[in-house]
Amino acid sequence: MRKKCLTTCVMIAVVLQLLGANLTSAVEVTSEQSAAVVSHCDTIREDLKRIQKEDARVRVYTGGYYETILTKFITPLNVRLVENNLSSAGLVENQNSFVDTRALFASDFVSYQQGLEELVGMDCKEKPGEFYKELQIVRQKRKIVSQDVLKMRSLISEHIKLVNNLKGRL
């Protein structure tokens, strides 16, 4: 899993390096960037296709992982605590946040994948400026998905802390 994520990150870095991307620059495309897109178009498209496939696999794995955590740990624990009159507002709030963030992750990922699919389908030799602008948009969408994953990890860590606190009180 980590190897695939690392590979994906490296591939994106390579694509951005090939494009001469400046992270602080505006979306305006320079002639050098257009020339780089045109000259490396085939390589960029192949890299993007590979990233698309890898990200889809990672999303399935990650989505399944978070679904399992929710259905086999978070929800059953909260139900059991309610049945035994030991309910904790923190645990319930954390569960609700996790459900909302997971739904947001799924929605943001679909938006990212659609943007990436459009990007892969673009003719970067004919319209390098449009291709580069779309790449910037897709990069932002991918960053949002990454933030969603970090939020879910944070919520899982918080849930574990809340469970340990509850365990200490019992």
Side-chain angles (χ1 to χ4, degrees):
M1 171 65 187
R2 288 185 182 190
K3 187 176 182 181
K4 286 182 181 181
C5 287
L6 181 60
T7 301
T8 302
C9 291
V10 169
M11 294 307 299
I12 288 176
V14 167
V15 168
L16 294 176
Q17 187 176 20
L18 289 173
L19 294 174
N22 183 351
L23 298 178
T24 60
S25 69
V27 180
E28 294 301 315
V29 181
T30 65
S31 59
E32 292 95 17
Q33 290 167 330
S34 291
V37 168
V38 171
S39 66
H40 296 96
C41 182
D42 294 333
T43 304
I44 292 169
R45 289 186 73 202
E46 289 304 313
D47 288 345
L48 287 173
K49 287 177 185 178
R50 188 170 38 255
I51 289 168
Q52 185 179 31
K53 288 177 186 175
E54 289 173 4
D55 280 357
R57 282 192 295 261
V58 168
R59 190 259 183 216
V60 168
Y61 173 79
T62 304
Y65 176 74
Y66 292 136
E67 180 68 23
T68 299
I69 288 172
L70 182 64
T71 60
K72 300 218 183 238
F73 177 65
I74 294 175
T75 303
L77 175 64
N78 283 345
V79 169
R80 185 77 179 242
L81 290 173
V82 168
E83 289 174 351
N84 292 310
N85 294 323
L86 297 171
S87 180
S88 166
L91 287 169
V92 172
E93 184 179 314
N94 190 273
Q95 176 182 349
N96 292 337
S97 294
F98 188 83
V99 168
D100 293 343
T101 304
R102 190 176 59 87
L104 185 62
F105 164 76
S107 172
D108 289 343
F109 191 88
V110 167
S111 175
Y112 160 69
Q113 276 295 96
Q114 288 171 343
L116 185 58
E117 191 167 319
E118 288 175 20
L119 182 64
V120 168
M122 290 180 78
D123 186 353
C124 49
K125 289 183 180 178
E126 292 293 320
K127 299 177 183 177
E130 288 180 31
F131 181 85
Y132 184 79
K133 288 177 183 178
E134 185 65 26
L135 176 65
Q136 297 288 35
I137 293 167
V138 170
R139 284 181 62 236
Q140 289 298 74
K141 289 180 179 183
R142 192 168 200 274
K143 186 176 182 180
I144 291 169
V145 170
S146 177
Q147 291 169 347
D148 292 344
V149 169
L150 291 174
K151 175 71 173 167
M152 281 190 285
R153 287 181 180 175
S154 172
L155 290 169
I156 291 168
S157 296
E158 180 63 25
H159 198 83
I160 291 169
K161 288 177 189 174
L162 291 168
V163 169
N164 285 333
N165 288 343
L166 178 66
K167 183 179 167 184
R169 290 188 315 218
L170 298 177

